[in-house]
Amino acid sequence: MPPSLNLPEPVTDLAAVRAGGTVTLTWTMPRRNTDKLLLTQDVTAQVCRTEAKVVMAGLCVDAGAAVMEKPGAQATFTDVLPAAEATGDARPLRYFVELKNARGRSAGLSNPAMVLAGAPPGPVTGFTAEVRKAGVVVQWAADGEAAPVRLLRTLLTPPAKTEKKGLMAAPAEPVEQRLLIEDVSKGSALDKTARFGETYSYRAQRVAVVTVDGLTLELPGAVSAAVTVDVEDVFPPAVPAGLVAVATVGAGETAAQTSIDLSWQPDAEADVTGYAVYRREGDGAWTRVSGAAPVVGPAFHDTDVQAGHSYAYAVTAIDAKGHESARSAEATETVPAQ
């Protein structure tokens, strides 16, 4: 058998992450050489970087080297970007690792690992968050920056409070969530996934996004200070709509059946538990005629009416926490004289 060239197997799992002006490379050192023999000598990892899509001789710029002493170990290398690679528009930057034996020979370059070169987008300023009925509205200063904004949301509520059991229970909520806002023209966005009863911390950063060969690369900017929000449901339901009043008149022995029947469109909000019906005559004060308990369905039968009298009605919606909406538009009806 001819002697082994002792060429380390090429790296196949090179990965790269950029943070600010530094890029951290990680990979797994091979245990064997290309002849499938165990490596017994130190291996030199030569790192290079290039903006070229196709790597050719002389196009991959030397980024440094390190001696790797442990075959099979996880290797790490940190590269400080030169000014040329840390300025300008976001663009792909490819890294390669070449493992060399004691004679400086290798079996070739690793797989490419890509990050984005260029200057990171500017910071998010004037960042605020406010609870609305539809979710949490986040806002920031409009400074003409077109890069998307990423929300970094952390659930601060203790897990014991959020965990609920049963078939109808909402699924557990992730503690950390990353929400990308691509349309930043308004300087605000609505987080509809925030849940009432929870407390969240929001931070924001701009992110330059570039797609290369189907792979999405990101270059994040600085992270804003955190804003804490208690998402409490203090909002009344929507005002009921479509109220209609129709008088029904009894005759003779059935005169006691004289009434005004009310109906309206049901409220679509899930936490609405019922309705309250109010009535007044002329310019008199509104009086709740539906009783203390909410009316369950979108209808009411008012029998406490008199022939020849005109009544105005309005309806409110009530949710599970007792919040009551404003009164609906009035519906007026006159009970015919006997």
Side-chain angles (χ1 to χ4, degrees):
M1 295 289 293
S4 172
L5 295 176
N6 200 30
L7 301 178
E9 291 182 336
V11 171
T12 59
D13 62 348
L14 181 64
V17 176
R18 178 179 173 182
T22 62
V23 175
T24 300
L25 304 176
T26 56
W27 68 91
T28 304
M29 287 296 297
R31 294 180 180 274
R32 300 178 183 275
N33 60 26
T34 54
D35 295 315
K36 306 305 179 184
L37 300 176
L38 291 174
L39 291 173
T40 58
Q41 300 177 354
D42 292 344
V43 175
T44 298
Q46 189 74 43
V47 179
C48 68
R49 57 176 124 75
T50 179
E51 293 187 27
K53 185 173 182 179
V54 179
V55 180
M56 301 175 64
L59 291 181
C60 199
V61 178
D62 182 19
V67 176
M68 303 296 166
E69 300 177 351
K70 297 180 179 180
Q74 291 296 309
T76 302
F77 182 89
T78 300
D79 178 37
V80 178
L81 290 174
E85 302 293 359
T87 56
D89 296 333
R91 56 201 185 275
L93 180 64
R94 293 171 173 81
Y95 278 85
F96 296 88
V97 170
E98 186 177 16
L99 301 182
K100 298 182 177 181
N101 63 13
R103 295 185 177 183
R105 297 179 179 178
S106 78
L109 297 175
S110 69
N111 63 293
M114 283 193 294
V115 295
L116 290 181
V124 174
T125 58
F127 183 61
T128 61
E130 182 181 358
V131 181
R132 303 282 178 82
K133 187 171 183 177
V136 175
V137 174
V138 294
Q139 295 180 303
W140 56 89
D143 52 10
E145 178 71 60
V149 170
R150 167 163 284 120
L151 296 182
L152 307 174
R153 193 183 81 183
T154 303
L155 176 66
L156 301 180
T157 313
K161 180 179 178 181
T162 62
E163 289 179 357
K164 298 179 181 179
K165 298 180 180 180
L167 295 177
M168 301 302 293
E173 187 173 12
V175 174
E176 302 287 344
Q177 290 212 57
R178 297 159 61 87
L179 311 171
L180 186 65
I181 304 168
E182 298 187 47
D183 182 5
V184 297
S185 59
K186 298 179 181 179
S188 65
L190 175 64
D191 178 13
K192 296 181 180 180
T193 65
R195 299 180 182 180
F196 285 125
E198 311 292 9
T199 300
Y200 300 94
S201 170
Y202 286 88
R203 295 173 297 154
Q205 63 180 164
R206 296 190 188 276
V207 182
V209 180
V210 176
T211 300
V212 183
D213 298 332
L215 178 65
T216 299
L217 302 176
E218 297 183 353
L219 177 56
V223 179
S224 71
V227 177
T228 300
V229 181
D230 293 320
V231 186
E232 296 294 338
D233 185 3
V234 296
F235 306 97
V239 177
L243 178 62
V244 176
V246 178
T248 302
V249 181
E253 296 181 355
T254 63
Q257 297 179 2
T258 298
S259 64
I260 293 179
D261 292 323
L262 306 172
S263 62
W264 57 90
Q265 297 175 8
D267 199 303
E269 297 179 52
D271 63 342
V272 168
T273 57
Y275 305 89
V277 179
Y278 293 85
R279 186 186 73 186
R280 69 176 179 180
E281 286 191 68
D283 294 330
W286 287 102
T287 302
R288 182 166 172 168
V289 295
S290 57
V295 177
V296 176
F300 182 73
H301 186 63
D302 185 12
T303 58
D304 186 20
V305 295
Q306 299 181 28
H309 286 235
S310 295
Y311 301 93
Y313 292 90
V315 181
T316 63
I318 302 173
D319 66 16
K321 291 190 175 183
H323 300 135
E324 186 173 0
S325 74
R327 287 190 295 268
S328 68
E330 297 181 23
T332 303
E333 179 66 318
T334 299
V335 180
Q338 295 292 329

